[in-house]
Amino acid sequence: MDTLSYKTVSVNKETAQKEWVIVDATDQVVGRLCSKVAKLIRGKYKPTFTPHVDCGDNVIIINAEKVIFTGKKETDKLYTRYTGYPGGQRFNTPAQLRLRKGGIDKIIRHAVKGMLPKGRLGRALLDNLYVYEGTEHPHEAQKPKAIDINQYK
């Protein structure tokens, strides 16, 4: 038996095959969409996945304003932020955030961030996510390929 053919391939920053992909978020449930996007960003769908390296894809989410929440989460779920002052806790629902400029971006980034590793790698991986409310995006030069997010588990 040839043991050399069973060597584990460990990818590093230079040898990682990173791609650009576009995900259409029209009528997608926020949590389910973001869990698949987090796996894409992390590189879990690739056979050369290495846990301590940024080997995932750059993900562009378009039509982000068309994502949906199931049940009563649109009005009952609360996002908490802190101003830094005593008594400075502020609460927002997804319905309130949708009305703000960049609010849907905050909703999706918050969900994806919670599904990435905590620490230096997770913060670096979050930079590979680009969220746009409409269909227009400035990344045509990278030649991103459109994928159907529903084919992933």
Side-chain angles (χ1 to χ4, degrees):
M1 185 160 82
D2 186 18
T3 58
L4 292 177
S5 65
Y6 294 106
K7 287 202 172 186
T8 302
V9 177
S10 186
V11 182
N12 61 21
K13 194 175 184 178
E14 290 78 30
T15 60
Q17 298 292 322
K18 294 176 73 68
E19 297 176 344
W20 285 78
V21 295
I22 294 180
V23 174
D24 189 6
T26 305
D27 296 328
Q28 297 284 332
V29 178
V30 173
R32 293 168 195 221
L33 169 75
C34 291
S35 67
K36 294 171 187 175
V37 167
K39 279 187 179 181
L40 279 171
I41 290 173
R42 185 88 199 274
K44 288 258 188 154
Y45 292 116
K46 295 185 175 188
T48 58
F49 170 68
T50 309
H52 62 281
V53 178
D54 177 8
C55 57
D57 297 332
N58 294 299
V59 179
I60 303 165
I61 298 178
I62 58 172
N63 293 322
E65 79 277 353
K66 296 180 183 173
V67 294
I68 58 173
F69 284 90
T70 57
K72 293 195 240 173
K73 293 187 196 86
E74 187 79 36
T75 55
D76 292 355
K77 182 178 175 68
L78 286 178
Y79 290 103
T80 306
R81 63 186 176 87
Y82 181 58
T83 63
Y85 290 95
Q89 256 190 339
R90 302 289 183 257
F91 303 98
N92 291 97
T93 63
Q96 292 168 336
L97 282 176
R98 279 184 193 269
L99 301 176
R100 282 195 191 160
K101 185 174 188 255
I104 197 69
D105 179 47
K106 286 189 169 90
I107 290 172
I108 292 178
R109 281 188 181 279
H110 183 270
V112 172
K113 182 182 177 183
M115 298 174 194
L116 290 175
K118 311 308 180 259
R120 190 183 307 171
L121 177 63
R123 288 189 297 272
L125 288 173
L126 200 59
D127 292 337
N128 297 335
L129 176 65
Y130 303 89
V131 181
Y132 298 101
E133 293 188 14
T135 57
E136 300 297 319
H137 63 86
H139 303 287
E140 289 301 326
Q142 283 76 24
K143 298 185 178 89
K145 65 175 189 175
I147 62 167
D148 180 23
I149 198 71
N150 294 325
Q151 72 183 3
Y152 293 99
K153 286 195 175 195

